Amino acid sequence: ALIREINEELGLNLKTYFFLGKFQIQGLIKYVYYAPMLKTKVDTLTIYEGQYGRWFSMEEIVFEKLITKKDKEIILKFYLSVN
């Protein structure tokens, strides 16, 4: 399902992906995965489903009011796992 959804929403054919963790947020369970990508590929992404996408620096994430505290924790876990 993950590979199909990423293909439908971003037009990407995932070959490799990693499990970041299982998180409970407001009674919902989120299974979070990530995939390595080349910067050139990231810069040309087209979003076919959903509202829009935006890139944030770590500093912007800290101060962005629309990103929940729990989502910030997930982003930090990802950042620490790849750096």
Side-chain angles (χ1 to χ4, degrees), residues 25-66:
I25 301 173
Q26 298 177 351
L28 300 173
I29 302 294
K30 288 186 179 184
Y31 296 88
V32 179
Y33 296 83
Y34 66 94
M37 293 184 60
L38 298 173
K39 183 170 178 4
T40 53
K41 188 71 171 175
V42 169
D43 290 342
T44 61
L45 282 178
T46 300
I47 298 173
Y48 297 103
E49 295 182 16
Q51 296 174 351
Y52 64 93
R54 179 175 165 220
W55 299 109
F56 293 90
S57 68
M58 283 304 293
E59 183 177 327
E60 289 173 318
I61 290 167
V62 169
F63 295 106
E64 177 57 56
K65 291 180 171 112
L66 296 177

